[in-house]
Amino acid sequence: MCILIDINFELYKVFYHVANTLSFSEASKHLFVSQSSVSQTIKLLEEKLGCKLFIRSTKSVRLTQEGEVLFRHLEPAYLYIKNGERKLIEMRTLEAGEIRIGASDTICKHYLLPYFQQFSTQYPKIKIHVTNRPSPVCLELLQKGEVDVIMINLPSHIDTQIFDVVLKRPIQDIFIAGRQFEHLREKVITMQELTQLPLLALEENTSTRSFLNQLASTNQVSIQPEFELSSVDLLIDLVKINFGISFLTKDYVLNELTSGEVIELQLKEKIPNRDLGIITHKHIPTPLAATKFISLLQASFIME
C-alpha cells in the first residue's frame, strides 16, 4: 500500500540547499535563517520521512543512501519551480532579473561581446551573468539548470532528449603557423607531415581538442602535442613567436592572418566543418530574458 506523506515544500527547500552545498552553515546563508533553524528543519523532515538524510561529523556532512535518492528526485523539481518563478517575474516587464549564459572565454570574445552590449542597451535592468567554461562543461551546467542558455562548439553527438539546439552556424578549423614556417605557405602538406612539426593544442577537455583527435584518428595518424593549454589567446601568441603550429577555428585568427603574423597551412586532407550552437534545456523553461538574447543572435546564425 502506498503511504502519502504531506510535507510542506519549505522543508524540501531547506533540504535542497543543505544537500546541494553539503553544509548546514552555507545553507543557512542561502536561506537567510540561522544554522540552528536549518538543523531543526532537517530533523523535522527526517521525522516525517522516517529516515536519516544526512551523516554529520565534526568536519563534514554527507548524504545517506536515502538522502541521495531524495536529492536525485528533488533537485530537478526544485530547479524547475525556481525557473518557473523567475520566468513569471521576467514576463511581467523585463524590469528585473538576469540571464545566465555559459560559454568559453574565446566564444565570448569572438562572438558574444557585441551582443552583450546590444542586450544591455536594450534591457539595462537585466543582469548578464556569464560562466566561462569549456563546451563539455557548459553542457553539464545547462543539464543541471545552472545556466539558461549556452553557446558552444557542438559535439558530434548531443542528447536531444535533454537539449534543444535552437540556432547553429558552421565554423571552419585550420592549422596555423608563425613566420618561421613561411616556406610552408604554398606547400600542400599531409596530416602525416604535420606530425613532424611541433604541435600546440588545447587541453583534452575541450571540444576543439576532441575534434582534432578525431581528425587525426580518421587519417590514421598519432598526435603528441608539445604544449597543451586551456587558452586560445595564449596558443595564438605562442604560434606568433614560432613555438610551433596549432589547430584553431579560423574566425579566432582572422586579424593575425590578415596582418601576416601567422599563416594558414594548406592541408591535403579535408577538415570537415563543425557547428557553433545555441542550446537550451528541453525540460526547464527558458526565461524570457534568455529568449530575447537568443533572438539577437538570429541574424548571424542559421536556423537548425
Side-chain angles (χ1 to χ4, degrees):
M1 182 178 70
C2 179
I3 301 175
L4 298 178
I5 307 173
D6 185 16
I7 297 178
N8 190 305
F9 177 72
E10 288 300 312
L11 301 186
Y12 286 131
K13 179 179 177 181
V14 174
F15 168 77
Y16 168 81
H17 282 285
V18 177
N20 191 47
T21 61
L22 291 179
S23 168
F24 280 69
S25 61
E26 286 298 316
S28 69
K29 293 176 184 177
H30 281 289
L31 295 164
F32 301 101
V33 297
S34 68
Q35 187 171 335
S36 173
S37 176
V38 171
S39 296
Q40 292 172 11
T41 301
I42 294 300
K43 182 179 178 181
L44 177 59
L45 180 61
E46 289 176 332
E47 289 175 355
K48 285 182 173 289
L49 293 174
C51 64
K52 281 285 186 183
L53 299 173
F54 295 97
I55 300 172
R56 301 176 67 177
S57 67
T58 55
K59 294 184 178 180
S60 67
V61 175
R62 60 190 177 92
L63 288 161
T64 63
Q65 184 175 357
E66 292 86 352
E68 289 177 354
V69 170
L70 180 60
F71 184 59
R72 188 164 63 245
H73 287 80
L74 178 65
E75 183 182 30
Y78 180 81
L79 292 173
Y80 200 89
I81 290 170
K82 297 307 292 182
N83 274 283
E85 290 176 348
R86 290 175 60 237
K87 186 174 180 66
L88 288 176
I89 293 171
E90 294 171 1
M91 283 178 66
R92 287 203 291 266
T93 58
L94 279 176
E95 288 294 310
E98 67 174 4
I99 174 174
R100 303 172 302 166
I101 302 169
S104 70
D105 54 356
T106 307
I107 287 176
C108 287
K109 174 181 177 180
H110 290 277
Y111 294 111
L112 291 179
L113 276 181
Y115 297 102
F116 291 158
Q117 183 179 20
Q118 187 178 348
F119 186 86
S120 292
T121 300
Q122 194 167 350
Y123 305 103
K125 295 185 179 180
I126 302 296
K127 295 179 181 179
I128 299 176
H129 180 78
V130 181
T131 301
N132 291 134
R133 296 291 188 276
S135 294
V137 179
C138 285
L139 275 172
E140 294 174 7
L141 294 175
L142 181 61
Q143 184 171 358
K144 294 177 181 177
E146 295 180 15
V147 292
D148 304 315
V149 58
I150 60 175
M151 183 174 186
I152 65 169
N153 296 318
L154 295 181
S156 56
H157 171 74
I158 192 163
D159 190 343
T160 55
Q161 297 298 313
I162 299 175
F163 304 112
D164 265 332
V165 181
V166 293
L167 296 169
K168 67 180 181 180
R169 56 164 289 183
I171 56 175
Q172 180 63 55
D173 297 288
I174 61 173
F175 285 95
I176 61 170
R179 289 171 175 165
Q180 182 175 304
F181 297 88
E182 182 69 32
H183 61 285
L184 297 177
R185 180 188 291 271
E186 303 301 330
K187 182 180 178 181
V188 177
I189 56 181
T190 65
M191 282 288 295
Q192 185 61 51
E193 290 173 314
L194 277 182
T195 63
Q196 307 306 310
L197 301 174
L199 176 65
L200 319 175
L202 288 170
E203 293 176 332
E204 287 283 1
N205 65 336
T206 61
S207 58
T208 296
R209 177 59 184 276
S210 297
F211 185 69
L212 174 60
N213 290 345
Q214 181 59 48
L215 180 66
S217 176
T218 299
N219 290 283
Q220 300 181 324
V221 298
S222 175
I223 58 170
Q224 296 182 337
E226 295 194 7
F227 283 85
E228 293 181 305
L229 303 170
S230 61
S231 168
V232 168
D233 287 339
L234 185 53
L235 278 178
I236 295 171
D237 288 339
L238 289 173
V239 170
K240 284 160 60 175
I241 60 175
N242 302 304
F243 263 64
I245 68 169
S246 193
F247 181 78
L248 297 170
T249 301
K250 190 170 185 176
D251 289 350
Y252 300 161
V253 289
L254 289 178
N255 290 336
E256 289 79 7
L257 288 169
T258 301
S259 67
E261 294 176 281
V262 302
I263 63 171
E264 177 180 353
L265 299 179
Q266 305 302 314
L267 193 65
K268 180 179 180 181
E269 294 86 355
K270 179 177 175 55
I271 302 176
N273 284 342
R274 289 191 291 160
D275 285 313
L276 192 67
I278 301 292
I279 304 176
T280 58
H281 199 297
K282 214 161 201 172
H283 306 295
I284 298 177
T286 304
L288 183 60
T291 302
K292 293 292 186 182
F293 183 77
I294 292 170
S295 69
L296 293 179
L297 298 168
Q298 287 182 343
S300 62
F301 276 73
I302 300 172
M303 290 297 294
E304 188 183 20

